[in-house]
Amino acid sequence: MKLQFEVLLVAALLHGQCHSSAPPGPGPFANVLLQQPVAGAPRGVDVDGWKRGKLCDVSKAPYAATNGSNATAVLQRAIADCGGRAEGGTVLIPAGLTLVTASLWLKSNMTLRVEAGATLLGSQLRGDAPLTYARRNSLLTVAHAGLLNAGRCLRLTSNQPAGTLEDCAEWTKLENVVIEGGGTLDANGDFWWKKGTKDDINTRPVMLDLMWVNGLTIRDMKIRRPGMWAVHPTFSDNVRITGNDIFTYGNGTDGCDPDSSWNMYIARNKFSTKDDCIAIKAGRDWSGRMVNMSSQNVLIEQNTFLNGHGVAL
């Protein structure tokens, strides 16, 4: 079934299944509602923004990634070289390259540009998605890292975290991140959800697990085969997700799930999923109430739903 959503405005005060009389939780960075449609990452406002700052073309020296190779180390080195710079930078995967990769962690002030005709392909080695403290199925827990990750917990306060933000003694937080280029992000994640694997929905890797980003743009990408949810902005603000083609077919593989995030614009995407196309979340159960961070000011419009459960709150 093809379903076109023309306009859906959601001003959500979701806060971990608390009673309606409880106050909505705060935002991840500031309690400021931005005018819609939000701009997203400053580097993404201009279509040529990726040309600003340092360019790290992974097909060239000193990276020299070759087609079909496992390029994890090369890609993470390029992210280190071109990310986190005051002037900004771009990691470029040019057309014609298919690169296999384990989990990657992005940095601030950077563009990851996977051009049309290029593919980032997830590794099928379980150890290539290391365990990390993240939100899975709306619970903070220890789970496998995503294909692309943003903020992360550097140090836990306990070997048995209880599902709160305070269980992490040190979080990294990012700003001004763009994922674009028209190419393919393929998590190659079928084995995570196929019957007979030991991983449940609370530990499987989310594909784009983008925690703690202030200013995020994801546009014009082909997003394929996540192990769990495909796009998961969490504890993020000023997020713009437009023009993507998101295809999933595994159990529990949602399309786009904003989670405890403020000021989001989701538009002109095409979804074909096995579960929710879009689901707005803010944690759940005891973990959600302890974190107490709301989702607010989400505008969803002009998306096409081919398969899946539409929009859920």
Side-chain angles (χ1 to χ4, degrees), residues 237-252:
D237 198 347
N238 187 16
V239 179
R240 186 178 178 93
I241 300 174
T242 59
N244 300 287
D245 183 341
I246 300 173
F247 177 76
T248 82
Y249 55 85
N251 178 45

Side-chain angles (χ1 to χ4, degrees), residues 87-104:
E87 71 275 22
T90 295
V91 175
L92 176 66
I93 295 93
L97 279 185
T98 294
L99 301 178
V100 177
T101 184
S103 297
L104 299 171

Side-chain angles (χ1 to χ4, degrees), residues 185-230:
L185 302 174
D186 184 347
N188 199 17
D190 297 3
F191 74 101
W192 289 101
W193 53 259
K194 282 184 175 177
K195 185 177 180 180
T197 61
K198 64 180 180 180
D199 300 282
D200 66 23
I201 200 166
N202 293 334
T203 61
R204 282 155 41 188
V206 167
M207 183 173 172
L208 306 187
D209 198 17
L210 302 170
M211 299 174 61
W212 296 115
V213 186
N214 189 8
L216 170 65
T217 296
I218 306 169
R219 65 183 175 204
D220 303 330
M221 300 302 298
K222 297 177 178 65
I223 298 171
R224 302 287 188 264
R225 299 194 296 169
M228 192 196 167
W229 300 341

Side-chain angles (χ1 to χ4, degrees), residues 11 15 29 57 119 143 215 218 224 231 257 266:
H15 46 97
F29 290 93
D57 183 340
T119 299
I218 306 169
R224 302 287 188 264
V231 183
D257 287 17
I266 305 170

Side-chain angles (χ1 to χ4, degrees), residues 4 53 77 119 240 274:
Q4 180 80 28
R77 178 183 174 189
T119 299
R240 186 178 178 93
K274 185 69 173 179

Side-chain angles (χ1 to χ4, degrees), residues 112-253:
L112 176 64
R113 185 173 176 85
V114 184
E115 295 193 325
T119 299
L120 278 186
L121 182 66
S123 165
Q124 287 202 323
L125 297 176
R126 191 175 299 275
D128 281 347
L131 292 174
T132 188
Y133 191 56
R135 199 173 241 182
R136 287 292 179 276
N137 198 22
S138 298
L139 303 170
L140 274 172
T141 188
V142 175
H144 291 279
L147 181 69
L148 298 179
N149 305 270
R152 69 189 301 185
C153 178
L154 297 179
R155 181 165 54 90
L156 284 170
T157 60
S158 168
N159 291 330
Q160 296 181 319
T164 72
L165 291 175
E166 289 73 21
D167 290 322
C168 180
E170 184 179 0
W171 292 97
T172 63
K173 298 182 180 183
L174 277 60
E175 61 183 7
N176 196 17
V177 176
V178 179
I179 301 171
E180 65 171 18
T184 299
L185 302 174
D186 184 347
N188 199 17
D190 297 3
F191 74 101
W192 289 101
W193 53 259
K194 282 184 175 177
K195 185 177 180 180
T197 61
K198 64 180 180 180
D199 300 282
D200 66 23
I201 200 166
N202 293 334
T203 61
R204 282 155 41 188
V206 167
M207 183 173 172
L208 306 187
D209 198 17
L210 302 170
M211 299 174 61
W212 296 115
V213 186
N214 189 8
L216 170 65
T217 296
I218 306 169
R219 65 183 175 204
D220 303 330
M221 300 302 298
K222 297 177 178 65
I223 298 171
R224 302 287 188 264
R225 299 194 296 169
M228 192 196 167
W229 300 341
V231 183
H232 188 216
T234 306
F235 311 138
S236 291
D237 198 347
N238 187 16
V239 179
R240 186 178 178 93
I241 300 174
T242 59
N244 300 287
D245 183 341
I246 300 173
F247 177 76
T248 82
Y249 55 85
N251 178 45
T253 53

